[in-house]
C-alpha cells in the first residue's frame, strides 16, 4: 500500500473499473433486478457543483442497493432536447430560430451541445458514478429515444386523450412558444400600481387600481364584490373605458378582492388567470391585445406595434394628460416568468395540442399513494402540485430542436392522422407513411411542423429505463421502475408528468420508490448563480480534494431531502477522514489475516459488539436512503473508538502475533470498508483489492452479526473515560504516552480488559 492516500490514486481505481466494466448491467444475472430511473441531466454550461453532489448522493443509494444483492440497471442519459440549447445558438449567432433553415439549426444545436454533454459525462465518471456508461447510455434527442416518445404519443392520441384547443395559453415571447404551467416560475418585481378613473355613463366614476394599463383596450367588464357596500349602487351600470371609446357593464362577482386597490377590478384579455376564468364564465368576447411577437396588436389603437412595457408607459402618460390618473404607487408583485428565458408570461390565445390531465387528477392522487417516498414528507410536494393544476397540459411547441409531433393532416378534410407507432418520424420533412386518408380517401397530406414540450420526452425516462418497446419480457417484470431519484425542484414537472404518463400507458404508478433530494446552496445558504458570483466549479474541487472527499462531505452534511451548503473548507476537511482510514488500513495490512476465527478475548468481543451496533445503524440509515447516519457513524466508530481505543489496546498483542487480535482487526476493517463502499467507492476499493483481492463493489453488505452482540459494550463509556484519565495524568506529569506510569488503579468493571489496558498504558 502507498504511504498515504492521495486523490491521484482515484484515477488508477477508475481505470481499473473501466477496464473491468465493473458496473455493467448483466441481463442474464440470476439476481433480482433493480432498475433506477437516473435523472438525465440537461447539458448547459458547466455542471453545477450542487448537481454533482446530488448525483453522488444518488450513486450512494444505488451502490447500497447493488450491495444488498441486486443486479442494478443504472443508466446514464443526457436530456439534450429543448429550448436552452436553442437559446444558446440564437444568442451566439444573433439570429432568431424562425429565420434559420430548420435542418441547419438542428445541426448547429447538435454541434453546440456535444462538447457540453461530453464534459458532463466525464465529470460523472470522475466523481465515481456507477452507471452503465456503455450499454445503457442514452440521449433524449436520438432517433431511438424519440421514437419511444412518439409511440407513446400515438397511443394517447388514438385513445382520444389529446385534443386541439384554442385558448389563452401561457406564452413566452422570449422563446416564441406557448408553455405549460410547470414551466413557469414567479419573480418578485417592482412595479407601479396606477389608480385609473372609469367614468360612469350616468355620472360619477369608479376608481380602479391596475399594474397593466396597456390592457385597457381589451377590457370587457368591471367587477366589484357583491358584498362591497362602496359599489352596491353601481352594479348593472355602464362605465366608459378610459383612452378607449367603448362602454362596458359593472358586475358583481366574488372574484373581486375588496382589500386590493380600490376594490373594483377591470377584466381584460388577459392580465392573469382570473381574467381567463371570468371571460369563460361570463361569456365575454376576447380582444387580443398582445401578439406572439411581444408587441401590441392593432386592437391597441395608438399603441399598436409597441412593446408591452413601452405601451404601459405611454398609457400612463396619456391617462395623466386626460386627467384620469388618480394615484400612482410603487408595488411589489409576483410576476410569472418563463423559467428558461425569464421573460414575463403573457396570456395569448393559441391553437395547441393538449393532453388531458385535469380529469384524472383524483386518479393520480391514488398513484401517488401507491409509491414509497424518501423522505416520507416529500410525497406532499407532489400532492400539493396535483391540487394546484388547473388546466390540461399544452404539449405543442413552435421550436426545432425537440421531438417532432408525429401527425399528418389530410389537405382535403383536415383530419389529423397518426402513423403506425415504431419508427422515428419527422413530419416537417418526411412524406406521410400512408397512402390514403382514412376519413375521405384523400391522398395529399401536410406534415405537422410543431414539436413536443420537452417534458413529453422526459416523462418517458422510466419507461425507457425499464426497456419499454425494447425488451417486452424484461419490461413486464420490471415495471413499475424500482427507483426514481430526483431533485425537489422538478417534482412539479418531471415527477408529475411521469406519474401522468405511466397512469395512461400502464394504468399504474410509475415507481416503487421515489427519492427526493434537497438543493445545493452556497455556504451562506443562498442559491448559486453566475449573477451572485458564488458559483463553485466542480472540476477543480475534485482535482484538489478527490471524489471521495467530496462524496464523504455530501453524505455527512445533511439528512435525506434537506438542503446542503457547499463549502470547500468542509470538503477539504473530509480528506482527513480518508487519511485516517488509509492509515488504519495500512497498519492492519502489516498483519496477515488468519484463515479461521480463533478463540477471542473480551476486548475483541467488546469491539465486535460495537461493530454490531454500527452495522445496525448503517443498515437503518441506508434503508431510509439517508447517508447521513452511515457516514457519520462510520467516521465516529473508526476515529473515536476503533483507532483511538481498540487498536491501541491490542497493538502489543498484534505485534506479538496474537491471532485473536489480528483476526478482530481484519474483521472490523472488512466490515467498515463494506459499509463505507457506497460513500467512498475509491479508497475502499483500493484498500480492499490490495488486502483481500477482488473489488469491494462485488461484495454484499455485511449484516449485523447476531452472535457479536454482547453486554461488554456497556463498558464502552468506562473504557473511554479510563483511557482519557490515564492520558491526562501522563500529560500533567509531562510523560510521553508510551512511558510507564505508576499509581493508577484499574476500575473493577474493566477487569476483563486488564491485560490490554495494562500493556497499552504500561501501568505499574
Ligand atoms: Zn421562454
Ligand atoms: Zn381526408
Amino acid at each position: 500500500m502507498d504511504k498515504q492516500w492521495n486523490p491521484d490514486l482515484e484515477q488508477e481505481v477508475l481505470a481499473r473499473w473501466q477496464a473491468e466494466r465493473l458496473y455493467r448491467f448483466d441481463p442474464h444475472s440470476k439476481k433480482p433486478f433493480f432498475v433506477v430511473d437516473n435523472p438525465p441531466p440537461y447539458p448547459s454550461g458547466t455542471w453545477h457543483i450542487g448537481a454533482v453532489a446530488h448525483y453522488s448522493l444518488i450513486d450512494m443509494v444505488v451502490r447500497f442497493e447493488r450491495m444488498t444483492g441486486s443486479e442494478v440497471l443504472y443508466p446514464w442519459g443526457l436530456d439534450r432536447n429543448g429550448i436552452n440549447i436553442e437559446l444558446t445558438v440564437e444568442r451566439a449567432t444573433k439570429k432568431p430560430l424562425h429565420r434559420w433553415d430548420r435542418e441547419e439549426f438542428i445541426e448547429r444545436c447538435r454541434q453546440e451541445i456535444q462538447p457540453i454533454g461530453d464534459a458532463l459525462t466525464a465529470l460523472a465518471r470522475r466523481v465515481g458514478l456507477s452507471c452503465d456508461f456503455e450499454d445503457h447510455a442514452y440521449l433524449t434527442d436520438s432517433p431511438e429515444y424519440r421514437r419511444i416518445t412518439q409511440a407513446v404519443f400515438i397511443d394517447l392520441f388514438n385513445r382520444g386523450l389529446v385534443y386541439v384547443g384554442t385558448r389563452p395559453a401561457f406564452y413566452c415571447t422570449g422563446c416564441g412558444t406557448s408553455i405549460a404551467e410547470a414551466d413557469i416560475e414567479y419573480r418578485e418585481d417592482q412595479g407601479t400600481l396606477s389608480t385609473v378613473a372609469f367614468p360612469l355613463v350616468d355620472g360619477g366614476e369608479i376608481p380602479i387600481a391596475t399594474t397593466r394599463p396597456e390592457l385597457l383596450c381589451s377590457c370587457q367588464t368591471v367587477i366589484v364584490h357583491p358584498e362591497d357596500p362602496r359599489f352596491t349602487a353601481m352594479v348593472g351600470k355602464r362605465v366608459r373605458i378610459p383612452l378607449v371609446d367603448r362602454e362596458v357593464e359593472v358586475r358583481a362577482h366574488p372574484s373581486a378582492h375588496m382589500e386590493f386597490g380600490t376594490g373594483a377590478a377591470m377584466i381584460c384579455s388577459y392580465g392573469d388567470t382570473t381574467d381567463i376564468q371570468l371571460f369563460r364564465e361570463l361569456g365575454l368576447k376576447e380582444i387580443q391585445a398582445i401578439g406572439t411577437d411581444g408587441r401590441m396588436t392593432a386592437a391597441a389603437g395608438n399603441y399598436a406595434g409597441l412593446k408591452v412595457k413601452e405601451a404601459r408607459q405611454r398609457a400612463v402618460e396619456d391617462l395623466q394628460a386626460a386627467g384620469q390618473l388618480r394615484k400612482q404607487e410603487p408595488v411589489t408583485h409576483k410576476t410569472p416568468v418563463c423559467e428558461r428565458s425569464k421573460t414575463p408570461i403573457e396570456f395569448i390565445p393559441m391553437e395547441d395540442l393538449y393532453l388531458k390531465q385535469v380529469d384524472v387528477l383524483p386518479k393520480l392522487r391514488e398513484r401517488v399513494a401507491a409509491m414509497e417516498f424518501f423522505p416520507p414528507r416529500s410525497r406532499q410536494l407532489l400532492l400539493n402540485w396535483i391540487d394546484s393544476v388547473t388546466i390540461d397540459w399544452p404539449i405543442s411547441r413552435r421550436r426545432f430542436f425537440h421531438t417532432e409531433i408525429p401527425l399528418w393532416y389530410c389537405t382535403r378534410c383536415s383530419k389529423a392522422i397518426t402513423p403506425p407507432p415504431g419508427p422515428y418520424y419527422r413530419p416537417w420533412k418526411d412524406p406521410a407513411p400512408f397512402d390514403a386518408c382514412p376519413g375521405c380517401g384523400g391522398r395529399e397530406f401536410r406534415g405537422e411542423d410543431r414539436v413536443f414540450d420537452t417534458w413529453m420526452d422526459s416523462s418517458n425516462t422510466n419507461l425507457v429505463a425499464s426497456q419499454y418497446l425494447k425488451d417486452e419480457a424484461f419490461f413486464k417484470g420490471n415495471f413499475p421502475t424500482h427507483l426514481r431519484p430526483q431533485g425537489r425542484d422538478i417534482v412539479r414537472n418531471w415527477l408529475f408528468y411521469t406519474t401522468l404518463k405511466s397512469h395512461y400507458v400502464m394504468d399504474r404508478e410509475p415507481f416503487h420508490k421515489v427519492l427526493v433530494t434537497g438543493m445545493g446552496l452556497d455556504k451562506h445558504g443562498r442559491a448559486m448563480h453566475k449573477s451572485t458570483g458564488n458559483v463553485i466549479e466542480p472540476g477543480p474541487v475534485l482535482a484538489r480534494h478527490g471524489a471521495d472527499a467530496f462524496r464523504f462531505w455530501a453524505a455527512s452534511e445533511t439528512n435525506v431531502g434537506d438542503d446542503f451548503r457547499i463549502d470547500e473548507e468542509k470538503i477539504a476537511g473530509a480528506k482527513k477522514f480518508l487519511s485516517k482510514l488509509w492509515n488504519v488500513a495500512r497498519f492492519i495490512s502489516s498483519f496477515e489475516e488468519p484463515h479461521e476465527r480463533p478463540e477471542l478475548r473480551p476486548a475483541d468481543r467488546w469491539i465486535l459488539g460495537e461493530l454490531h451496533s454500527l452495522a445496525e445503524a448503517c443498515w437503518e440509515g441506508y434503508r431510509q436512503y439517508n447517508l447521513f447516519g452511515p457516514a457519520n457513524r462510520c467516521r465516529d466508530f473508526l476515529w473515536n473508538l476503533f483507532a483511538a481505543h481498540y487498536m491501541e489496546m491490542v497493538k502489543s498483542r498484534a505485534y506479538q502475533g496474537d491471532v485473536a487480535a489480528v483476526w478482530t482487526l481484519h474483521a472490523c476493517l472488512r466490515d467498515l470498508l463494506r459499509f463505507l463502499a457506497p460513500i467512498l467507492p475509491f479508497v475502499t476499493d483500493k484498500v480492499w483489492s490490495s488486502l483481500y483481492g477482488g473489488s469491494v463493489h462485488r461484495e454484499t453488505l455485511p449484516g449485523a452479526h447476531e452472535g457479536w452482540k454482547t453486554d461488554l459494550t456497556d463498558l464502552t463509556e468506562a473504557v473511554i473515560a479510563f483511557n482519557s484519565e490515564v492520558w491526562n495524568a501522563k500529560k500533567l506529569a509531562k510523560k510521553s504516552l508510551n512511558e510507564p506510569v505508576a499509581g493508577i488503579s484499574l476500575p473493577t468493571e474493566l477487569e476483563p480488559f486488564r491485560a490490554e489496558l495494562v500493556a497499552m498504558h504500561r501501568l505499574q
Side-chain angles (χ1 to χ4, degrees):
M1 283 176 72
D2 293 73
K3 268 213 160 119
Q4 278 176 334
W5 173 252
N6 84 71
D8 297 339
L9 292 171
E10 291 180 351
Q11 299 288 2
E12 181 195 313
V13 177
L14 204 54
R16 181 159 54 80
W17 291 350
Q18 290 187 20
E20 282 178 24
R21 299 274 327 264
L22 188 63
Y23 305 114
R24 181 177 166 269
F25 171 68
D26 177 9
H28 306 296
S29 172
K30 294 279 175 283
K31 296 176 186 173
F33 293 128
F34 188 89
V35 182
V36 183
D37 183 15
N38 195 30
Y42 191 95
S44 69
T46 321
W47 218 10
H48 190 290
I49 192 165
V52 181
H54 165 71
Y55 278 83
S56 304
L57 292 169
I58 294 171
D59 179 66
M60 296 174 207
V61 166
V62 173
R63 286 176 180 275
F64 159 71
E65 291 290 351
R66 190 182 286 120
M67 288 186 80
T68 62
S70 293
E71 182 66 27
V72 174
L73 198 173
Y74 184 22
W76 175 251
L78 290 176
D79 187 9
R80 307 205 309 178
N81 291 315
I83 291 179
N84 280 354
I85 198 68
E86 292 179 323
L87 291 179
T88 306
V89 170
E90 287 179 271
R91 278 186 206 124
T93 58
K94 296 198 171 59
K95 187 172 163 186
L97 168 120
H98 295 286
R99 277 178 35 217
W100 278 82
D101 171 78
R102 188 162 179 162
E103 195 96 56
E104 279 171 28
F105 185 79
I106 290 171
E107 184 48 38
R108 182 63 190 259
C109 287
R110 286 238 157 82
Q111 284 170 12
E112 200 75 31
I113 206 162
Q114 186 65 38
I116 306 176
D118 290 348
L120 208 144
T121 301
L123 208 49
R125 286 181 185 270
R126 177 64 190 91
V127 80
L129 303 194
S130 58
C131 302
D132 185 341
F133 287 100
E134 282 83 23
D135 293 352
H136 289 279
Y138 66 85
L139 303 175
T140 57
D141 61 318
S142 64
E144 183 50 36
Y145 192 101
R146 285 182 170 178
R147 79 178 188 92
I148 306 269
T149 299
Q150 292 183 334
V152 168
F153 168 81
I154 290 167
D155 175 33
L156 302 183
F157 188 92
N158 292 345
R159 286 160 58 191
L161 296 168
V162 177
Y163 63 91
V164 177
T166 302
R167 50 166 76 176
F170 298 102
Y171 193 89
C172 171
T173 55
C175 300
T177 184
S178 40
I179 61 175
E181 261 176 320
D183 301 322
I184 292 172
E185 58 183 36
Y186 287 84
R187 185 175 72 193
E188 293 271 314
D189 270 352
Q190 296 300 321
T192 306
L193 189 63
S194 306
T195 302
V196 180
F198 281 56
L200 285 150
V201 174
D202 303 345
E205 64 180 44
I206 297 188
I208 295 177
T210 177
T211 55
R212 309 225 30 200
E214 77 278 14
L215 289 178
L216 279 167
C217 63
S218 66
C219 173
Q220 288 289 37
T221 188
V222 165
I223 60 164
V224 296
H225 199 276
E227 283 152 29
D228 193 336
R230 295 171 290 182
F231 300 110
T232 317
M234 300 173 189
V235 174
K237 298 212 161 146
R238 298 188 70 80
V239 285
R240 184 161 284 125
I241 305 167
L243 308 180
V244 182
D245 193 21
R246 202 154 50 76
E247 290 172 17
V248 297
E249 188 188 330
V250 180
R251 301 174 204 234
H253 197 281
S255 298
H257 295 287
M258 288 198 269
E259 63 291 351
F260 177 79
T262 62
M266 61 178 202
I267 302 303
C268 309
S269 53
Y270 296 98
D272 55 24
T273 48
T274 308
D275 285 349
I276 296 173
Q277 215 179 309
L278 285 175
F279 263 75
R280 210 176 298 160
E281 187 185 322
L282 303 174
L284 303 174
K285 190 173 178 310
E286 173 181 272
I287 297 172
Q288 190 181 341
I290 298 168
T292 53
D293 55 358
R295 291 173 186 273
M296 304 307 292
T297 63
N302 291 339
Y303 309 140
L306 292 183
K307 286 190 175 166
V308 174
K309 264 187 148 173
E310 297 164 350
R312 187 173 306 155
Q313 185 55 38
R314 282 273 301 277
V316 168
E317 289 163 15
D318 292 348
L319 286 165
Q320 180 103 52
Q324 285 178 299
L325 191 60
R326 292 288 171 269
K327 195 162 124 192
Q328 281 214 293
E329 56 198 316
V331 64
T332 314
H333 57 114
K334 278 207 166 114
T335 309
V337 299
C338 167
E339 83 167 345
R340 297 194 180 84
S341 71
K342 314 295 177 197
T343 315
I345 295 306
E346 298 297 347
F347 300 91
I348 296 181
M350 298 293 294
E351 190 199 275
D352 274 305
L353 292 177
Y354 284 83
L355 177 60
K356 289 184 185 172
Q357 60 184 20
V358 173
D359 292 353
V360 296
L361 294 177
K363 265 283 176 207
L364 297 189
R365 293 186 68 95
E366 289 172 31
R367 303 297 179 205
V368 176
M371 299 188 278
E372 192 181 355
F373 281 75
F374 301 82
R377 67 172 189 273
S378 52
R379 178 194 311 276
Q380 197 56 43
L381 298 174
L382 182 52
L383 290 173
N384 290 349
W385 175 256
I386 289 176
D387 287 344
S388 74
V389 169
T390 56
I391 64 166
D392 287 331
W393 179 11
I395 54 173
S396 47
R397 299 285 181 275
R398 289 154 182 87
R399 306 292 301 181
F400 293 166
F401 194 61
H402 294 243
T403 302
E404 291 84 351
I405 298 176
L407 286 176
W408 276 267
Y409 301 92
C410 170
T411 53
R412 203 196 305 172
C413 74
S414 309
K415 185 182 170 61
I417 308 163
T418 50
Y424 168 46
Y425 296 106
R426 288 165 301 174
W428 58 274
K429 64 180 283 200
D430 297 342
F434 37 77
D435 297 328
C437 166
C440 73
R443 292 186 170 270
E444 281 188 29
F445 309 97
R446 178 179 63 77
E448 169 67 66
D449 57 9
R450 284 172 299 177
V451 296
F452 286 123
D453 175 3
T454 50
W455 293 111
M456 278 291 278
D457 301 285
S458 320
S459 52
N460 299 328
T461 50
N462 66 321
L463 299 173
V464 169
S466 289
Q467 311 298 299
Y468 183 62
L469 300 185
K470 198 171 168 193
D471 181 343
E472 283 308 304
F474 183 90
F475 180 72
K476 250 184 135 176
N478 294 282
F479 186 89
T481 310
H482 300 90
L483 173 66
R484 155 64 69 83
Q486 67 161 75
R488 192 176 57 213
D489 53 332
I490 50 176
V491 165
R492 73 180 200 276
N493 35 41
W494 196 32
L495 186 54
F496 172 74
Y497 288 140
T498 312
T499 307
L500 176 72
K501 283 284 203 62
S502 292
H503 165 74
Y504 281 142
V505 177
M506 295 307 299
D507 200 17
R508 280 206 73 169
E509 69 279 8
F511 307 106
H512 292 297
K513 298 175 176 183
V514 178
L515 164 65
V516 179
T517 60
M519 309 304 295
L521 307 171
D522 78 358
K523 63 178 170 184
H524 306 292
R526 300 171 305 179
M528 287 191 179
H529 281 303
K530 273 200 189 101
S531 55
T532 323
N534 57 355
V535 171
I536 302 176
E537 296 280 333
V541 169
L542 292 179
R544 276 196 288 277
H545 310 294
D548 272 354
F550 179 76
R551 293 170 64 111
F552 190 79
W553 157 79
S556 60
E557 180 70 6
T558 51
N559 281 296
V560 58
D562 289 350
D563 290 342
F564 46 93
R565 296 182 178 199
I566 303 167
D567 180 352
E568 193 171 344
E569 269 177 52
K570 284 190 185 169
I571 298 169
K575 250 187 345 197
K576 290 187 201 133
F577 173 62
L578 300 184
S579 301
K580 188 75 190 174
L581 176 62
W582 186 260
N583 294 338
V584 164
R586 255 191 106 227
F587 169 73
I588 296 175
S589 73
S590 56
F591 308 103
E592 199 184 330
E593 188 180 28
H595 290 296
E596 275 172 43
R597 176 179 167 159
E599 193 63 37
L600 300 180
R601 291 187 45 81
D604 309 325
R605 286 191 284 117
W606 162 67
I607 198 68
L608 292 183
E610 284 295 339
L611 194 60
H612 176 271
S613 336
L614 174 72
E616 280 186 332
C618 286
W619 273 97
E620 196 193 331
Y622 276 129
R623 278 208 192 93
Q624 295 165 359
Y625 290 163
N626 190 357
L627 293 316
F628 182 82
N632 286 293
R633 287 296 296 266
C634 284
R635 169 164 55 190
D636 210 40
F637 175 87
L638 177 84
W639 208 306
N640 300 326
L641 206 59
F642 182 70
H645 299 280
Y646 178 73
M647 264 172 53
E648 293 301 324
M649 284 161 70
V650 301
K651 238 178 203 168
S652 53
R653 279 173 58 202
Y655 284 131
Q656 286 157 17
D658 180 304
V659 197
V662 173
W663 185 88
T664 308
L665 287 169
H666 277 286
C668 290
L669 181 61
R670 275 179 178 271
D671 276 14
L672 258 180
L673 289 174
R674 284 178 290 180
F675 281 125
L676 284 168
I679 301 169
L680 303 173
F682 293 96
V683 68
T684 56
D685 205 25
K686 179 73 185 159
V687 172
W688 187 276
S689 58
S690 315
L691 266 66
Y692 308 122
S695 171
V696 71
H697 304 303
R698 291 196 197 277
E699 298 290 315
T700 49
L701 277 185
H705 310 275
E706 273 320 309
W708 291 8
K709 205 169 172 178
T710 165
D711 290 345
L712 287 166
T713 51
D714 293 345
L715 299 175
T716 301
E717 291 306 314
V719 170
I720 295 172
F722 177 72
N723 287 339
S724 309
E725 183 196 323
V726 180
W727 286 326
N728 278 330
K730 285 188 175 178
K731 208 170 148 196
L732 280 174
K734 299 211 162 41
K735 281 172 184 281
S736 80
L737 292 186
N738 48 20
E739 273 181 82
V741 60
I744 298 180
S745 55
L746 192 72
T748 342
E749 53 177 341
L750 295 183
E751 272 311 315
F753 308 142
R754 170 172 283 280
E756 285 83 2
L757 293 171
V758 166
M760 169 181 175
H761 297 298
R762 302 184 65 190
L763 300 180
Q764 288 183 332

